[in-house]
Amino acid sequence: MSDKNRSYRQEMDALRVSEQKAQETLDALLSENERLENKKTRPIYLHPALYAVAAACLALAVLAANLLRGGFPGVRIGDLPAVTVARGDEETALEFSQAFGLRAAALFPGAQVREDKTVSFTLNGQTLHRGELTLLAEGRPWAAQVTDYEPPLYTALTGGDPRFARGSDTGLLYALWRQEGRYILISAQGMEEKDFEAAVRGIMAK
């Protein structure tokens, strides 16, 4: 064999791919093609972090829907600060009209009123008053409270009067409003919010 032919043969051998290598390359190409095809039809699963975001968005949507339909805000009554007598002082019993300058019935024209207990006490050097009442309206009894100081629950809520809330720890519905320098609180249990609100507005009506 001439040197020219030998050189040509060597060059061709150097360029030739072995049969095994060719099969490996083909298999790799087929495998990649199958992976890409499967990727097009594979179901989409959320990453755990994305799933948490989706759950949070759903919770916000539920909350927004609750607010749009007028649901009362939930408040943990036990977490609110308590208004109590100063250390060393005592509550003093007195008549409702002495404490607030009018009979309790004048504050609730839409209900029958029973004056249960009215007291005065000292807090931060001020003499404050609290009246506890039972109202009969809409065929059922209601617990009511009148104070000449702003109740913590009233402070915790926003908006105009009356202000409504649901005690997340007590299960009670609450309505509060301010009237001529006095704060009035009514509570009830076992009622729908819309029925409670309608009844409260009836009690307030003059």
Side-chain angles (χ1 to χ4, degrees), residues 92-108 113-120 129-135 144-148 179 182-184:
T92 302
L94 70 167
E95 295 293 326
F96 188 92
S97 57
Q98 289 178 288
F100 299 102
L102 77 173
R103 290 184 58 81
L107 295 175
F108 307 99
V113 183
R114 186 183 74 199
E115 299 178 10
D116 295 330
K117 179 183 178 182
T118 301
V119 296
S120 66
H129 303 88
R130 180 182 68 249
E132 298 174 2
L133 315 164
T134 299
L135 310 180
Q145 188 180 90
V146 179
T147 63
D148 53 9
Q179 184 174 325
R182 307 173 191 92
Y183 292 89
I184 300 171

PDB file of all heavy atoms in Angstrom, residues 92-108 113-120 129-135 144-148 179 182-184:
ATOM      1  N   THR A  92     -68.901  51.880  94.880  1.00  0.00           N
ATOM      2  CA  THR A  92     -69.978  52.420  95.695  1.00  0.00           C
ATOM      3  C   THR A  92     -71.283  52.326  94.923  1.00  0.00           C
ATOM      4  O   THR A  92     -71.373  52.813  93.795  1.00  0.00           O
ATOM      5  CB  THR A  92     -69.705  53.886  96.068  1.00  0.00           C
ATOM      6  OG1 THR A  92     -68.452  53.968  96.762  1.00  0.00           O
ATOM      7  CG2 THR A  92     -70.807  54.436  96.960  1.00  0.00           C
ATOM      8  N   ALA A  93     -72.292  51.693  95.523  1.00  0.00           N
ATOM      9  CA  ALA A  93     -73.586  51.548  94.860  1.00  0.00           C
ATOM     10  C   ALA A  93     -74.374  52.845  94.932  1.00  0.00           C
ATOM     11  O   ALA A  93     -74.320  53.574  95.933  1.00  0.00           O
ATOM     12  CB  ALA A  93     -74.372  50.417  95.517  1.00  0.00           C
ATOM     13  N   LEU A  94     -75.101  53.143  93.872  1.00  0.00           N
ATOM     14  CA  LEU A  94     -75.960  54.320  93.829  1.00  0.00           C
ATOM     15  C   LEU A  94     -77.034  54.133  92.783  1.00  0.00           C
ATOM     16  O   LEU A  94     -77.037  53.148  92.047  1.00  0.00           O
ATOM     17  CB  LEU A  94     -75.158  55.590  93.578  1.00  0.00           C
ATOM     18  CG  LEU A  94     -74.512  55.820  92.202  1.00  0.00           C
ATOM     19  CD1 LEU A  94     -74.050  57.259  92.087  1.00  0.00           C
ATOM     20  CD2 LEU A  94     -73.343  54.897  91.961  1.00  0.00           C
ATOM     21  N   GLU A  95     -77.972  55.055  92.690  1.00  0.00           N
ATOM     22  CA  GLU A  95     -79.041  54.984  91.708  1.00  0.00           C
ATOM     23  C   GLU A  95     -78.521  55.355  90.317  1.00  0.00           C
ATOM     24  O   GLU A  95     -77.610  56.177  90.180  1.00  0.00           O
ATOM     25  CB  GLU A  95     -80.185  55.930  92.082  1.00  0.00           C
ATOM     26  CG  GLU A  95     -80.901  55.575  93.372  1.00  0.00           C
ATOM     27  CD  GLU A  95     -81.656  54.272  93.256  1.00  0.00           C
ATOM     28  OE1 GLU A  95     -82.173  53.999  92.138  1.00  0.00           O
ATOM     29  OE2 GLU A  95     -81.709  53.518  94.237  1.00  0.00           O
ATOM     30  N   PHE A  96     -79.111  54.737  89.290  1.00  0.00           N
ATOM     31  CA  PHE A  96     -78.718  55.026  87.912  1.00  0.00           C
ATOM     32  C   PHE A  96     -78.856  56.512  87.607  1.00  0.00           C
ATOM     33  O   PHE A  96     -77.964  57.119  86.998  1.00  0.00           O
ATOM     34  CB  PHE A  96     -79.579  54.206  86.937  1.00  0.00           C
ATOM     35  CG  PHE A  96     -79.125  54.280  85.507  1.00  0.00           C
ATOM     36  CD1 PHE A  96     -78.239  53.347  84.998  1.00  0.00           C
ATOM     37  CD2 PHE A  96     -79.573  55.293  84.664  1.00  0.00           C
ATOM     38  CE1 PHE A  96     -77.816  53.414  83.671  1.00  0.00           C
ATOM     39  CE2 PHE A  96     -79.155  55.366  83.348  1.00  0.00           C
ATOM     40  CZ  PHE A  96     -78.271  54.431  82.847  1.00  0.00           C
ATOM     41  N   SER A  97     -79.954  57.107  88.021  1.00  0.00           N
ATOM     42  CA  SER A  97     -80.185  58.532  87.722  1.00  0.00           C
ATOM     43  C   SER A  97     -79.164  59.417  88.431  1.00  0.00           C
ATOM     44  O   SER A  97     -78.817  60.489  87.910  1.00  0.00           O
ATOM     45  CB  SER A  97     -81.612  58.932  88.126  1.00  0.00           C
ATOM     46  OG  SER A  97     -81.842  58.661  89.493  1.00  0.00           O
ATOM     47  N   GLN A  98     -78.654  58.992  89.580  1.00  0.00           N
ATOM     48  CA  GLN A  98     -77.614  59.756  90.266  1.00  0.00           C
ATOM     49  C   GLN A  98     -76.314  59.730  89.473  1.00  0.00           C
ATOM     50  O   GLN A  98     -75.588  60.723  89.408  1.00  0.00           O
ATOM     51  CB  GLN A  98     -77.358  59.167  91.667  1.00  0.00           C
ATOM     52  CG  GLN A  98     -78.467  59.394  92.667  1.00  0.00           C
ATOM     53  CD  GLN A  98     -78.137  58.739  94.003  1.00  0.00           C
ATOM     54  OE1 GLN A  98     -78.166  57.518  94.138  1.00  0.00           O
ATOM     55  NE2 GLN A  98     -77.789  59.567  94.991  1.00  0.00           N
ATOM     56  N   ALA A  99     -76.022  58.587  88.884  1.00  0.00           N
ATOM     57  CA  ALA A  99     -74.769  58.435  88.149  1.00  0.00           C
ATOM     58  C   ALA A  99     -74.809  59.098  86.784  1.00  0.00           C
ATOM     59  O   ALA A  99     -73.824  59.712  86.350  1.00  0.00           O
ATOM     60  CB  ALA A  99     -74.436  56.956  88.005  1.00  0.00           C
ATOM     61  N   PHE A 100     -75.955  59.017  86.099  1.00  0.00           N
ATOM     62  CA  PHE A 100     -76.005  59.431  84.695  1.00  0.00           C
ATOM     63  C   PHE A 100     -76.973  60.575  84.412  1.00  0.00           C
ATOM     64  O   PHE A 100     -77.065  61.033  83.274  1.00  0.00           O
ATOM     65  CB  PHE A 100     -76.347  58.226  83.812  1.00  0.00           C
ATOM     66  CG  PHE A 100     -75.325  57.126  83.894  1.00  0.00           C
ATOM     67  CD1 PHE A 100     -75.570  55.997  84.663  1.00  0.00           C
ATOM     68  CD2 PHE A 100     -74.110  57.226  83.237  1.00  0.00           C
ATOM     69  CE1 PHE A 100     -74.626  54.982  84.743  1.00  0.00           C
ATOM     70  CE2 PHE A 100     -73.162  56.220  83.321  1.00  0.00           C
ATOM     71  CZ  PHE A 100     -73.415  55.086  84.086  1.00  0.00           C
ATOM     72  N   GLY A 101     -77.692  61.025  85.413  1.00  0.00           N
ATOM     73  CA  GLY A 101     -78.539  62.198  85.244  1.00  0.00           C
ATOM     74  C   GLY A 101     -79.867  61.965  84.566  1.00  0.00           C
ATOM     75  O   GLY A 101     -80.553  62.931  84.215  1.00  0.00           O
ATOM     76  N   LEU A 102     -80.276  60.711  84.356  1.00  0.00           N
ATOM     77  CA  LEU A 102     -81.576  60.386  83.774  1.00  0.00           C
ATOM     78  C   LEU A 102     -81.897  58.933  84.073  1.00  0.00           C
ATOM     79  O   LEU A 102     -81.014  58.155  84.443  1.00  0.00           O
ATOM     80  CB  LEU A 102     -81.603  60.638  82.268  1.00  0.00           C
ATOM     81  CG  LEU A 102     -80.928  59.622  81.329  1.00  0.00           C
ATOM     82  CD1 LEU A 102     -81.228  59.985  79.886  1.00  0.00           C
ATOM     83  CD2 LEU A 102     -79.445  59.483  81.551  1.00  0.00           C
ATOM     84  N   ARG A 103     -83.136  58.570  83.911  1.00  0.00           N
ATOM     85  CA  ARG A 103     -83.514  57.182  84.114  1.00  0.00           C
ATOM     86  C   ARG A 103     -83.055  56.344  82.923  1.00  0.00           C
ATOM     87  O   ARG A 103     -82.998  56.819  81.788  1.00  0.00           O
ATOM     88  CB  ARG A 103     -85.027  57.066  84.298  1.00  0.00           C
ATOM     89  CG  ARG A 103     -85.519  57.640  85.632  1.00  0.00           C
ATOM     90  CD  ARG A 103     -87.001  57.406  85.810  1.00  0.00           C
ATOM     91  NE  ARG A 103     -87.348  55.974  85.749  1.00  0.00           N
ATOM     92  CZ  ARG A 103     -87.210  55.139  86.782  1.00  0.00           C
ATOM     93  NH1 ARG A 103     -86.710  55.578  87.936  1.00  0.00           N
ATOM     94  NH2 ARG A 103     -87.569  53.871  86.648  1.00  0.00           N
ATOM     95  N   ALA A 104     -82.751  55.096  83.194  1.00  0.00           N
ATOM     96  CA  ALA A 104     -82.229  54.217  82.149  1.00  0.00           C
ATOM     97  C   ALA A 104     -83.214  54.039  81.006  1.00  0.00           C
ATOM     98  O   ALA A 104     -82.818  53.900  79.844  1.00  0.00           O
ATOM     99  CB  ALA A 104     -81.868  52.864  82.758  1.00  0.00           C
ATOM    100  N   ALA A 105     -84.517  54.071  81.320  1.00  0.00           N
ATOM    101  CA  ALA A 105     -85.531  53.868  80.288  1.00  0.00           C
ATOM    102  C   ALA A 105     -85.438  54.919  79.192  1.00  0.00           C
ATOM    103  O   ALA A 105     -85.807  54.658  78.039  1.00  0.00           O
ATOM    104  CB  ALA A 105     -86.927  53.878  80.920  1.00  0.00           C
ATOM    105  N   ALA A 106     -84.925  56.106  79.528  1.00  0.00           N
ATOM    106  CA  ALA A 106     -84.812  57.171  78.528  1.00  0.00           C
ATOM    107  C   ALA A 106     -83.759  56.841  77.467  1.00  0.00           C
ATOM    108  O   ALA A 106     -83.803  57.386  76.359  1.00  0.00           O
ATOM    109  CB  ALA A 106     -84.462  58.487  79.215  1.00  0.00           C
ATOM    110  N   LEU A 107     -82.824  55.947  77.768  1.00  0.00           N
ATOM    111  CA  LEU A 107     -81.780  55.577  76.806  1.00  0.00           C
ATOM    112  C   LEU A 107     -82.223  54.461  75.870  1.00  0.00           C
ATOM    113  O   LEU A 107     -81.604  54.246  74.829  1.00  0.00           O
ATOM    114  CB  LEU A 107     -80.512  55.134  77.550  1.00  0.00           C
ATOM    115  CG  LEU A 107     -79.801  56.198  78.391  1.00  0.00           C
ATOM    116  CD1 LEU A 107     -78.648  55.565  79.156  1.00  0.00           C
ATOM    117  CD2 LEU A 107     -79.299  57.327  77.510  1.00  0.00           C
ATOM    118  N   PHE A 108     -83.282  53.747  76.251  1.00  0.00           N
ATOM    119  CA  PHE A 108     -83.728  52.600  75.466  1.00  0.00           C
ATOM    120  C   PHE A 108     -85.230  52.698  75.212  1.00  0.00           C
ATOM    121  O   PHE A 108     -86.027  51.934  75.782  1.00  0.00           O
ATOM    122  CB  PHE A 108     -83.401  51.296  76.209  1.00  0.00           C
ATOM    123  CG  PHE A 108     -81.958  51.178  76.616  1.00  0.00           C
ATOM    124  CD1 PHE A 108     -81.560  51.485  77.923  1.00  0.00           C
ATOM    125  CD2 PHE A 108     -80.995  50.783  75.709  1.00  0.00           C
ATOM    126  CE1 PHE A 108     -80.249  51.362  78.305  1.00  0.00           C
ATOM    127  CE2 PHE A 108     -79.669  50.669  76.084  1.00  0.00           C
ATOM    128  CZ  PHE A 108     -79.284  50.974  77.385  1.00  0.00           C
ATOM    129  N   VAL A 113     -86.996  48.240  80.544  1.00  0.00           N
ATOM    130  CA  VAL A 113     -85.695  48.308  81.196  1.00  0.00           C
ATOM    131  C   VAL A 113     -85.804  47.969  82.677  1.00  0.00           C
ATOM    132  O   VAL A 113     -86.696  48.459  83.368  1.00  0.00           O
ATOM    133  CB  VAL A 113     -85.070  49.716  81.044  1.00  0.00           C
ATOM    134  CG1 VAL A 113     -83.688  49.754  81.674  1.00  0.00           C
ATOM    135  CG2 VAL A 113     -85.007  50.100  79.570  1.00  0.00           C
ATOM    136  N   ARG A 114     -84.894  47.138  83.150  1.00  0.00           N
ATOM    137  CA  ARG A 114     -84.759  46.877  84.580  1.00  0.00           C
ATOM    138  C   ARG A 114     -83.366  47.316  85.003  1.00  0.00           C
ATOM    139  O   ARG A 114     -82.365  46.860  84.444  1.00  0.00           O
ATOM    140  CB  ARG A 114     -84.959  45.391  84.886  1.00  0.00           C
ATOM    141  CG  ARG A 114     -84.966  45.079  86.398  1.00  0.00           C
ATOM    142  CD  ARG A 114     -85.083  43.591  86.646  1.00  0.00           C
ATOM    143  NE  ARG A 114     -83.822  42.908  86.332  1.00  0.00           N
ATOM    144  CZ  ARG A 114     -83.734  41.599  86.106  1.00  0.00           C
ATOM    145  NH1 ARG A 114     -84.826  40.850  86.089  1.00  0.00           N
ATOM    146  NH2 ARG A 114     -82.563  41.048  85.848  1.00  0.00           N
ATOM    147  N   GLU A 115     -83.303  48.212  85.976  1.00  0.00           N
ATOM    148  CA  GLU A 115     -82.015  48.693  86.482  1.00  0.00           C
ATOM    149  C   GLU A 115     -81.500  47.690  87.513  1.00  0.00           C
ATOM    150  O   GLU A 115     -82.050  47.545  88.597  1.00  0.00           O
ATOM    151  CB  GLU A 115     -82.179  50.077  87.094  1.00  0.00           C
ATOM    152  CG  GLU A 115     -82.665  51.123  86.108  1.00  0.00           C
ATOM    153  CD  GLU A 115     -82.872  52.490  86.758  1.00  0.00           C
ATOM    154  OE1 GLU A 115     -82.462  52.662  87.917  1.00  0.00           O
ATOM    155  OE2 GLU A 115     -83.451  53.367  86.104  1.00  0.00           O
ATOM    156  N   ASP A 116     -80.434  47.000  87.172  1.00  0.00           N
ATOM    157  CA  ASP A 116     -79.915  45.940  88.046  1.00  0.00           C
ATOM    158  C   ASP A 116     -78.924  46.466  89.085  1.00  0.00           C
ATOM    159  O   ASP A 116     -79.084  46.223  90.276  1.00  0.00           O
ATOM    160  CB  ASP A 116     -79.249  44.842  87.213  1.00  0.00           C
ATOM    161  CG  ASP A 116     -80.247  44.111  86.331  1.00  0.00           C
ATOM    162  OD1 ASP A 116     -81.422  44.024  86.727  1.00  0.00           O
ATOM    163  OD2 ASP A 116     -79.849  43.646  85.254  1.00  0.00           O
ATOM    164  N   LYS A 117     -77.905  47.166  88.604  1.00  0.00           N
ATOM    165  CA  LYS A 117     -76.844  47.592  89.528  1.00  0.00           C
ATOM    166  C   LYS A 117     -76.079  48.756  88.916  1.00  0.00           C
ATOM    167  O   LYS A 117     -75.695  48.707  87.738  1.00  0.00           O
ATOM    168  CB  LYS A 117     -75.877  46.426  89.804  1.00  0.00           C
ATOM    169  CG  LYS A 117     -74.728  46.756  90.722  1.00  0.00           C
ATOM    170  CD  LYS A 117     -73.809  45.545  90.865  1.00  0.00           C
ATOM    171  CE  LYS A 117     -72.605  45.847  91.734  1.00  0.00           C
ATOM    172  NZ  LYS A 117     -71.681  44.689  91.826  1.00  0.00           N
ATOM    173  N   THR A 118     -75.865  49.800  89.703  1.00  0.00           N
ATOM    174  CA  THR A 118     -75.062  50.940  89.262  1.00  0.00           C
ATOM    175  C   THR A 118     -74.036  51.230  90.351  1.00  0.00           C
ATOM    176  O   THR A 118     -74.364  51.249  91.545  1.00  0.00           O
ATOM    177  CB  THR A 118     -75.922  52.186  89.016  1.00  0.00           C
ATOM    178  OG1 THR A 118     -76.905  51.883  88.021  1.00  0.00           O
ATOM    179  CG2 THR A 118     -75.072  53.353  88.539  1.00  0.00           C
ATOM    180  N   VAL A 119     -72.793  51.438  89.939  1.00  0.00           N
ATOM    181  CA  VAL A 119     -71.723  51.699  90.911  1.00  0.00           C
ATOM    182  C   VAL A 119     -70.868  52.864  90.434  1.00  0.00           C
ATOM    183  O   VAL A 119     -70.832  53.197  89.241  1.00  0.00           O
ATOM    184  CB  VAL A 119     -70.817  50.457  91.101  1.00  0.00           C
ATOM    185  CG1 VAL A 119     -71.608  49.291  91.692  1.00  0.00           C
ATOM    186  CG2 VAL A 119     -70.151  50.066  89.793  1.00  0.00           C
ATOM    187  N   SER A 120     -70.167  53.478  91.372  1.00  0.00           N
ATOM    188  CA  SER A 120     -69.124  54.458  91.064  1.00  0.00           C
ATOM    189  C   SER A 120     -67.815  53.917  91.623  1.00  0.00           C
ATOM    190  O   SER A 120     -67.804  53.177  92.614  1.00  0.00           O
ATOM    191  CB  SER A 120     -69.452  55.818  91.676  1.00  0.00           C
ATOM    192  OG  SER A 120     -69.418  55.748  93.087  1.00  0.00           O
ATOM    193  N   HIS A 129     -68.442  55.792  86.455  1.00  0.00           N
ATOM    194  CA  HIS A 129     -69.697  55.126  86.754  1.00  0.00           C
ATOM    195  C   HIS A 129     -69.984  54.020  85.745  1.00  0.00           C
ATOM    196  O   HIS A 129     -69.684  54.158  84.559  1.00  0.00           O
ATOM    197  CB  HIS A 129     -70.855  56.126  86.759  1.00  0.00           C
ATOM    198  CG  HIS A 129     -70.664  57.250  87.720  1.00  0.00           C
ATOM    199  ND1 HIS A 129     -70.005  58.424  87.381  1.00  0.00           N
ATOM    200  CD2 HIS A 129     -71.034  57.376  89.029  1.00  0.00           C
ATOM    201  CE1 HIS A 129     -69.977  59.238  88.428  1.00  0.00           C
ATOM    202  NE2 HIS A 129     -70.598  58.625  89.440  1.00  0.00           N
ATOM    203  N   ARG A 130     -70.602  52.954  86.245  1.00  0.00           N
ATOM    204  CA  ARG A 130     -71.000  51.830  85.386  1.00  0.00           C
ATOM    205  C   ARG A 130     -72.371  51.343  85.843  1.00  0.00           C
ATOM    206  O   ARG A 130     -72.576  51.021  87.026  1.00  0.00           O
ATOM    207  CB  ARG A 130     -69.990  50.681  85.481  1.00  0.00           C
ATOM    208  CG  ARG A 130     -70.338  49.485  84.607  1.00  0.00           C
ATOM    209  CD  ARG A 130     -69.339  48.350  84.753  1.00  0.00           C
ATOM    210  NE  ARG A 130     -69.406  47.726  86.083  1.00  0.00           N
ATOM    211  CZ  ARG A 130     -68.452  47.828  86.992  1.00  0.00           C
ATOM    212  NH1 ARG A 130     -67.361  48.558  86.747  1.00  0.00           N
ATOM    213  NH2 ARG A 130     -68.579  47.229  88.168  1.00  0.00           N
ATOM    214  N   GLY A 131     -73.306  51.281  84.902  1.00  0.00           N
ATOM    215  CA  GLY A 131     -74.634  50.776  85.188  1.00  0.00           C
ATOM    216  C   GLY A 131     -74.881  49.479  84.453  1.00  0.00           C
ATOM    217  O   GLY A 131     -74.588  49.378  83.256  1.00  0.00           O
ATOM    218  N   GLU A 132     -75.390  48.476  85.165  1.00  0.00           N
ATOM    219  CA  GLU A 132     -75.711  47.185  84.556  1.00  0.00           C
ATOM    220  C   GLU A 132     -77.224  47.034  84.529  1.00  0.00           C
ATOM    221  O   GLU A 132     -77.904  47.233  85.538  1.00  0.00           O
ATOM    222  CB  GLU A 132     -75.049  46.056  85.340  1.00  0.00           C
ATOM    223  CG  GLU A 132     -73.527  46.154  85.321  1.00  0.00           C
ATOM    224  CD  GLU A 132     -72.852  45.124  86.229  1.00  0.00           C
ATOM    225  OE1 GLU A 132     -73.593  44.318  86.830  1.00  0.00           O
ATOM    226  OE2 GLU A 132     -71.628  45.150  86.331  1.00  0.00           O
ATOM    227  N   LEU A 133     -77.750  46.656  83.342  1.00  0.00           N
ATOM    228  CA  LEU A 133     -79.190  46.643  83.116  1.00  0.00           C
ATOM    229  C   LEU A 133     -79.620  45.359  82.425  1.00  0.00           C
ATOM    230  O   LEU A 133     -78.793  44.660  81.816  1.00  0.00           O
ATOM    231  CB  LEU A 133     -79.598  47.827  82.230  1.00  0.00           C
ATOM    232  CG  LEU A 133     -78.997  49.198  82.565  1.00  0.00           C
ATOM    233  CD1 LEU A 133     -79.171  50.137  81.391  1.00  0.00           C
ATOM    234  CD2 LEU A 133     -79.646  49.763  83.813  1.00  0.00           C
ATOM    235  N   THR A 134     -80.906  45.076  82.512  1.00  0.00           N
ATOM    236  CA  THR A 134     -81.525  44.020  81.711  1.00  0.00           C
ATOM    237  C   THR A 134     -82.622  44.653  80.879  1.00  0.00           C
ATOM    238  O   THR A 134     -83.483  45.365  81.417  1.00  0.00           O
ATOM    239  CB  THR A 134     -82.118  42.912  82.598  1.00  0.00           C
ATOM    240  OG1 THR A 134     -81.072  42.313  83.366  1.00  0.00           O
ATOM    241  CG2 THR A 134     -82.773  41.844  81.741  1.00  0.00           C
ATOM    242  N   LEU A 135     -82.571  44.407  79.575  1.00  0.00           N
ATOM    243  CA  LEU A 135     -83.584  44.938  78.667  1.00  0.00           C
ATOM    244  C   LEU A 135     -84.467  43.800  78.188  1.00  0.00           C
ATOM    245  O   LEU A 135     -84.003  42.666  78.012  1.00  0.00           O
ATOM    246  CB  LEU A 135     -82.919  45.608  77.450  1.00  0.00           C
ATOM    247  CG  LEU A 135     -81.807  46.610  77.710  1.00  0.00           C
ATOM    248  CD1 LEU A 135     -81.298  47.158  76.379  1.00  0.00           C
ATOM    249  CD2 LEU A 135     -82.263  47.734  78.615  1.00  0.00           C
ATOM    250  N   ALA A 144     -77.234  44.701  79.209  1.00  0.00           N
ATOM    251  CA  ALA A 144     -76.793  46.037  78.773  1.00  0.00           C
ATOM    252  C   ALA A 144     -75.913  46.652  79.845  1.00  0.00           C
ATOM    253  O   ALA A 144     -76.018  46.327  81.035  1.00  0.00           O
ATOM    254  CB  ALA A 144     -78.006  46.929  78.494  1.00  0.00           C
ATOM    255  N   GLN A 145     -75.048  47.536  79.386  1.00  0.00           N
ATOM    256  CA  GLN A 145     -74.146  48.249  80.298  1.00  0.00           C
ATOM    257  C   GLN A 145     -74.023  49.687  79.822  1.00  0.00           C
ATOM    258  O   GLN A 145     -73.894  49.930  78.614  1.00  0.00           O
ATOM    259  CB  GLN A 145     -72.777  47.572  80.322  1.00  0.00           C
ATOM    260  CG  GLN A 145     -71.826  48.106  81.360  1.00  0.00           C
ATOM    261  CD  GLN A 145     -70.489  47.378  81.325  1.00  0.00           C
ATOM    262  OE1 GLN A 145     -69.570  47.782  80.614  1.00  0.00           O
ATOM    263  NE2 GLN A 145     -70.400  46.281  82.057  1.00  0.00           N
ATOM    264  N   VAL A 146     -74.061  50.618  80.761  1.00  0.00           N
ATOM    265  CA  VAL A 146     -73.894  52.039  80.457  1.00  0.00           C
ATOM    266  C   VAL A 146     -72.728  52.556  81.281  1.00  0.00           C
ATOM    267  O   VAL A 146     -72.632  52.276  82.483  1.00  0.00           O
ATOM    268  CB  VAL A 146     -75.174  52.837  80.786  1.00  0.00           C
ATOM    269  CG1 VAL A 146     -74.971  54.326  80.483  1.00  0.00           C
ATOM    270  CG2 VAL A 146     -76.366  52.298  80.005  1.00  0.00           C
ATOM    271  N   THR A 147     -71.814  53.285  80.637  1.00  0.00           N
ATOM    272  CA  THR A 147     -70.666  53.850  81.344  1.00  0.00           C
ATOM    273  C   THR A 147     -70.458  55.294  80.919  1.00  0.00           C
ATOM    274  O   THR A 147     -70.919  55.710  79.846  1.00  0.00           O
ATOM    275  CB  THR A 147     -69.374  53.057  81.048  1.00  0.00           C
ATOM    276  OG1 THR A 147     -69.075  53.157  79.647  1.00  0.00           O
ATOM    277  CG2 THR A 147     -69.513  51.594  81.428  1.00  0.00           C
ATOM    278  N   ASP A 148     -69.741  56.051  81.765  1.00  0.00           N
ATOM    279  CA  ASP A 148     -69.352  57.401  81.360  1.00  0.00           C
ATOM    280  C   ASP A 148     -67.878  57.440  80.950  1.00  0.00           C
ATOM    281  O   ASP A 148     -67.264  58.502  80.896  1.00  0.00           O
ATOM    282  CB  ASP A 148     -69.645  58.423  82.476  1.00  0.00           C
ATOM    283  CG  ASP A 148     -69.040  58.032  83.813  1.00  0.00           C
ATOM    284  OD1 ASP A 148     -68.235  57.062  83.866  1.00  0.00           O
ATOM    285  OD2 ASP A 148     -69.361  58.692  84.828  1.00  0.00           O
ATOM    286  N   GLN A 179     -73.773  58.001  73.211  1.00  0.00           N
ATOM    287  CA  GLN A 179     -74.973  58.834  73.185  1.00  0.00           C
ATOM    288  C   GLN A 179     -74.896  59.872  74.310  1.00  0.00           C
ATOM    289  O   GLN A 179     -74.936  59.528  75.486  1.00  0.00           O
ATOM    290  CB  GLN A 179     -76.226  57.963  73.361  1.00  0.00           C
ATOM    291  CG  GLN A 179     -77.535  58.719  73.265  1.00  0.00           C
ATOM    292  CD  GLN A 179     -78.728  57.773  73.313  1.00  0.00           C
ATOM    293  OE1 GLN A 179     -78.675  56.656  72.800  1.00  0.00           O
ATOM    294  NE2 GLN A 179     -79.802  58.222  73.928  1.00  0.00           N
ATOM    295  N   ARG A 182     -72.371  59.277  77.019  1.00  0.00           N
ATOM    296  CA  ARG A 182     -72.446  57.974  77.671  1.00  0.00           C
ATOM    297  C   ARG A 182     -72.181  56.889  76.638  1.00  0.00           C
ATOM    298  O   ARG A 182     -72.568  57.016  75.480  1.00  0.00           O
ATOM    299  CB  ARG A 182     -73.821  57.767  78.323  1.00  0.00           C
ATOM    300  CG  ARG A 182     -74.243  58.885  79.261  1.00  0.00           C
ATOM    301  CD  ARG A 182     -75.682  58.679  79.734  1.00  0.00           C
ATOM    302  NE  ARG A 182     -76.176  59.877  80.418  1.00  0.00           N
ATOM    303  CZ  ARG A 182     -76.826  60.866  79.820  1.00  0.00           C
ATOM    304  NH1 ARG A 182     -77.051  60.801  78.519  1.00  0.00           N
ATOM    305  NH2 ARG A 182     -77.236  61.909  80.518  1.00  0.00           N
ATOM    306  N   TYR A 183     -71.570  55.801  77.089  1.00  0.00           N
ATOM    307  CA  TYR A 183     -71.305  54.665  76.208  1.00  0.00           C
ATOM    308  C   TYR A 183     -72.246  53.526  76.584  1.00  0.00           C
ATOM    309  O   TYR A 183     -72.397  53.185  77.757  1.00  0.00           O
ATOM    310  CB  TYR A 183     -69.850  54.211  76.336  1.00  0.00           C
ATOM    311  CG  TYR A 183     -68.868  55.223  75.795  1.00  0.00           C
ATOM    312  CD1 TYR A 183     -68.358  56.222  76.624  1.00  0.00           C
ATOM    313  CD2 TYR A 183     -68.462  55.192  74.464  1.00  0.00           C
ATOM    314  CE1 TYR A 183     -67.457  57.165  76.138  1.00  0.00           C
ATOM    315  CE2 TYR A 183     -67.564  56.133  73.972  1.00  0.00           C
ATOM    316  CZ  TYR A 183     -67.071  57.112  74.813  1.00  0.00           C
ATOM    317  OH  TYR A 183     -66.197  58.046  74.325  1.00  0.00           O
ATOM    318  N   ILE A 184     -72.883  52.958  75.579  1.00  0.00           N
ATOM    319  CA  ILE A 184     -73.870  51.905  75.797  1.00  0.00           C
ATOM    320  C   ILE A 184     -73.390  50.627  75.108  1.00  0.00           C
ATOM    321  O   ILE A 184     -72.963  50.657  73.951  1.00  0.00           O
ATOM    322  CB  ILE A 184     -75.237  52.325  75.239  1.00  0.00           C
ATOM    323  CG1 ILE A 184     -75.703  53.606  75.946  1.00  0.00           C
ATOM    324  CG2 ILE A 184     -76.257  51.205  75.409  1.00  0.00           C
ATOM    325  CD1 ILE A 184     -76.932  54.230  75.328  1.00  0.00           C
TER     326      ILE A 184
END
